Amino acid sequence: MLKDWIYVDFSVGTMADALPGGRVNRMKPFGIDLRYPFAPVNTSYSSNTYFLVPTVPDLPATIRGALWVDKNEKIYKYGGYFLDKSLWNSTGHDLDTRPSELWALETANRTWSKLPPPGGSPVVGARSGGVASSADLGLGFYAGGSLNNMTDSQFGNWTNKLEPVLNTLLTYDMEQNSFTNTTIPFDPFTLSSLVYVPVGQKGILLFLGGISVSDGAFNGSTNTTRNRDMDYINIYDIAKKAWYLQRASGYIPRDRYWFCTAVAVAADNSSYNIIIHGGLSLSSHEAFADTYVLSLPSFVFFRVDNAMDQVRRYDHTCHLRNNKLFVLGGRDVDQEMRSWIGWENGACDPNGFVNVLDVNTFSWDASYDPADTGEYLVHKSIYRVIGGK
């Protein structure tokens, strides 16, 4: 999320056309311009709302990596994985797995550059970790995730069943171009949400949901893989380098992973409200359409919509601008991405690629107009319980 637009990296989308159920396409990086009105349902990929972001031939075409943004709105791209070219009938080299690299996008002129290896050491790219950043601190964070033979060419001789899951917190210093790796004091995990909250000296990181893998590897066994509890929240104080465990109360969401989050701050700084939307259940393979708020410092969950106005979705992103939450992409379980032969493409989302939630009213907007955006106001259902405004 930048000042006036949202950057969308390499991705996969189900496009509406004459084919039954649509067709799955690889999509190049593009932007969503927030300076002009648009109707989410009726806005096509070819409209003026979307614009292509130029790439260079050597830019890694990875998905599900990290994007960090500094105070100058420079974007840093780390990790992710390459799609299986055999399933995409690709004869080029853009999907060839190669050594991991760190790249940066100067958004002012939209030019890419490859950065030197941080600290002179090779970059090891991971996938599906929790991602957060602080532009003020100039720090990017990557928590957990996994490695396999499509994340880095050094693992090219691994089989598809060998996928170590990480219990590390990677911190990237954008000014110094350096990495710090910290071991996390709980089980390895992946597909979690990492949330930066600007409180205290340098802020805190919250680790929400996801999948825990106690033996540290996806190996076909379900004995060591479970949903991480949503009501027990791991917290890292960045300045103190200290870990805490906090239990939340209220309307606890069902355990889930692959959901999206964004932080809305009360005008008087009395509360920091983490908005949570969608996700997927590990046990039932059921996607969700509901929305919750986890309010800090009270650590109380609130359910703020009835999940009737949206389709179920997971593997999406959330971006907050003032009182408008932009929910991008995602899919239901009938839109599985092409990973195993025989999975269907699935129907397109009837609500469109971009969905807009007004977080002051918790109602979904049929159209977006920048003139209608305003200051974030804590919803009455929340401040009646926690106080403040």
Side-chain angles (χ1 to χ4, degrees):
M1 182 78 186
L2 304 168
K3 180 180 179 181
D4 295 318
W5 60 288
I6 302 173
Y7 170 77
V8 181
D9 201 27
F10 290 98
S11 55
V12 173
T14 304
M15 308 293 286
D17 61 9
L19 296 177
R23 56 189 172 89
V24 177
N25 285 266
R26 293 170 52 209
M27 303 174 71
K28 292 185 177 181
F30 64 94
I32 302 173
D33 197 327
L34 301 180
R35 296 174 298 173
Y36 307 105
F38 63 87
V41 174
N42 297 321
T43 301
S44 70
Y45 183 58
S46 59
S47 73
N48 292 331
T49 302
Y50 304 115
F51 58 90
L52 287 176
V53 175
T55 60
V56 294
D58 290 338
L59 182 67
T62 50
I63 66 173
R64 292 194 194 138
L67 297 173
W68 300 310
V69 182
D70 70 9
K71 59 186 176 181
N72 298 314
E73 295 202 327
K74 185 176 183 178
I75 297 175
Y76 297 82
K77 175 181 168 70
Y78 159 80
Y81 73 96
F82 294 88
L83 295 169
D84 187 338
K85 64 186 300 181
S86 66
L87 298 180
W88 291 88
N89 300 319
S90 174
T91 58
H93 296 289
D94 57 327
L95 296 184
D96 289 344
T97 306
R98 64 191 212 212
S100 299
E101 299 165 345
L102 190 66
W103 284 71
L105 173 65
E106 295 282 359
T107 56
N109 55 16
R110 297 178 192 168
T111 57
W112 288 95
S113 60
K114 178 182 173 182
L115 300 179
S121 301
V123 177
V124 178
R127 61 177 285 182
S128 304
V131 179
S133 63
S134 167
D136 291 337
L137 296 177
L139 298 177
F141 306 97
Y142 193 87
S146 61
L147 309 172
N148 66 15
N149 57 7
M150 293 186 290
T151 59
D152 194 303
S153 59
Q154 67 177 298
F155 312 129
N157 62 343
W158 290 5
T159 67
N160 289 328
K161 292 184 179 180
L162 180 59
E163 188 165 337
V165 180
L166 306 175
N167 67 332
T168 55
L169 172 64
L170 185 69
T171 303
Y172 177 65
D173 188 314
M174 304 180 204
E175 293 185 3
Q176 300 298 321
N177 187 35
S178 62
F179 279 133
T180 302
N181 213 4
T182 303
T183 300
I184 290 174
F186 45 89
D187 284 345
F189 66 99
T190 187
L191 300 169
S192 181
S193 184
L194 183 67
V195 182
Y196 174 78
V197 182
V199 295
Q201 184 178 348
K202 289 186 176 181
I204 60 176
L205 294 171
L206 272 63
F207 300 71
L208 300 176
I211 296 175
S212 174
V213 186
S214 61
D215 68 355
F218 285 133
N219 57 10
S221 170
T222 60
N223 294 332
T224 63
T225 303
R226 63 173 182 84
N227 280 309
R228 283 171 42 84
D229 296 331
M230 292 293 291
D231 54 338
Y232 284 92
I233 301 168
N234 297 100
I235 304 170
Y236 181 67
D237 186 306
I238 297 170
K240 297 179 180 179
K241 299 182 179 179
W243 294 92
Y244 305 93
L245 180 64
Q246 175 69 45
R247 187 172 189 182
S249 61
Y251 201 128
I252 309 297
R254 288 176 56 186
D255 294 341
R256 63 191 63 198
Y257 64 99
W258 249 344
F259 52 91
C260 74
T261 55
V263 181
V265 182
D268 60 357
N269 292 317
S270 60
S271 66
Y272 297 81
N273 299 297
I274 301 169
I275 304 160
I276 299 169
H277 177 67
L280 182 67
S281 167
L282 176 66
S283 56
S284 66
H285 197 58
E286 173 190 1
F288 302 107
D290 46 10
T291 308
Y292 294 82
V293 168
L294 172 63
S295 187
L296 276 60
S298 60
F299 283 90
V300 176
F301 273 108
F302 299 84
R303 184 170 179 174
V304 294
D305 73 358
N306 59 13
M308 298 300 292
D309 298 326
Q310 279 291 302
V311 298
R312 300 168 185 244
R313 70 179 71 245
Y314 66 98
D315 196 12
H316 51 291
T317 61
C318 290
H319 310 269
L320 185 67
R321 186 189 194 208
N322 300 321
N323 65 316
K324 301 296 183 180
L325 181 75
F326 298 88
V327 179
L328 307 186
R331 62 190 192 274
D332 199 351
V333 292
D334 71 336
Q335 293 176 301
E336 298 286 15
M337 197 171 67
R338 193 181 308 179
S339 296
W340 287 278
I341 301 298
W343 276 5
E344 299 293 335
N345 291 339
C348 287
D349 181 349
N351 294 344
F353 173 75
V354 183
N355 292 273
V356 184
L357 177 67
D358 188 318
V359 297
N360 286 351
T361 62
F362 290 113
S363 59
W364 293 92
D365 293 344
S367 62
Y368 164 73
D369 189 334
D372 293 336
T373 61
E375 181 184 39
Y376 166 66
L377 302 174
V378 181
H379 194 269
K380 61 182 180 181
S381 65
I382 298 174
Y383 71 68
R384 284 175 177 173
V385 176
I386 66 170
K389 60 182 180 182

